[in-house]
Amino acid sequence: MKTKSLFLVLFALVTFTSCELFEKADDVTFNVSVPLDFVIDENANNPGGASYSDTELLDATTDPDIAKYADKINKIEVVRITYTISNADPSSVVFSGGSLMVASNSKIIATASSVSLSNTAETELTADLDGFNDLAARLLDDKQEIVMLNGTLSETPVSFNVRFRFYLKITADAL
């Protein structure tokens, strides 16, 4: 009787473990970067500085791999976020206290304490891990989210473009 019970327990363990292994066996994992562009054009004359806030739609399905697996994605991880400044006029302006947030709940995703508009190199933002997780869950839901950019410009008028790159790790069912 003991042998029969032991056999049933082992059979149950193997069956449940095998099912889980088979479910994961057909998973595909890949990395993508999804761009999000803000075009800043502040014309008011504020030599002492001005607050800035705007929103844009982050649509992960603009990446062809995400679009291909959109209905099969079961996990999204935000790995890092970078920014690149271009077309700054004047380039002497500083953007301080910058933050990217989920617009619907004001959850901070990432920050930058001080950004010189003369810096045109791709630069990584300081991550807020809770914000990364919140954004990942929202992207998993419908593959898009409204993102808000807030901060203070050291002076206006100023115009520049900033491209954020959201580096994501995607896990999806291949079948």
Side-chain angles (χ1 to χ4, degrees), residues 14-164:
V14 168
T15 302
F16 289 123
T17 304
S18 296
C19 289
E20 187 176 311
L21 288 175
F22 283 124
E23 281 182 27
K24 291 187 184 273
D26 71 338
D27 283 357
V28 60
T29 300
F30 55 94
N31 296 308
V32 298
S33 71
V34 179
L36 179 63
D37 295 316
F38 282 83
V39 177
I40 291 95
D41 189 12
E42 294 294 314
N43 295 311
N45 188 17
N46 292 305
S51 294
Y52 176 82
S53 183
D54 199 5
T55 59
E56 292 291 338
L57 176 66
L58 176 64
D59 184 357
T61 62
T62 60
D63 182 276
D65 289 329
I66 291 179
K68 177 181 175 181
Y69 291 102
D71 295 334
K72 299 176 180 181
I73 294 173
N74 51 39
K75 184 178 180 186
I76 295 178
E77 179 184 344
V78 180
V79 177
R80 66 188 181 115
I81 304 170
T82 64
Y83 67 89
T84 306
I85 305 286
S86 62
N87 303 320
D89 182 27
S91 61
S92 58
V93 174
V94 174
F95 186 74
S96 60
S99 62
L100 282 178
M101 295 189 266
V102 173
S104 62
N105 65 3
S106 298
K107 181 70 178 165
I108 293 175
I109 303 167
T111 60
S113 59
S114 182
V115 175
S116 170
L117 299 189
S118 64
N119 176 17
T120 59
E122 184 176 18
T123 305
E124 191 165 342
L125 291 169
T126 302
D128 180 298
L129 296 181
D130 288 339
F132 272 29
N133 292 335
D134 185 69
L135 178 62
R138 291 170 181 279
L139 289 174
L140 184 60
D141 184 41
D142 64 1
K143 314 308 175 268
Q144 59 185 9
E145 188 60 38
I146 303 271
V147 174
M148 181 183 295
L149 172 62
N150 287 323
T152 303
L153 297 162
S154 63
E155 66 178 272
T156 63
V158 65
S159 63
F160 63 99
N161 301 333
V162 60
R163 170 167 276 188
F164 294 98

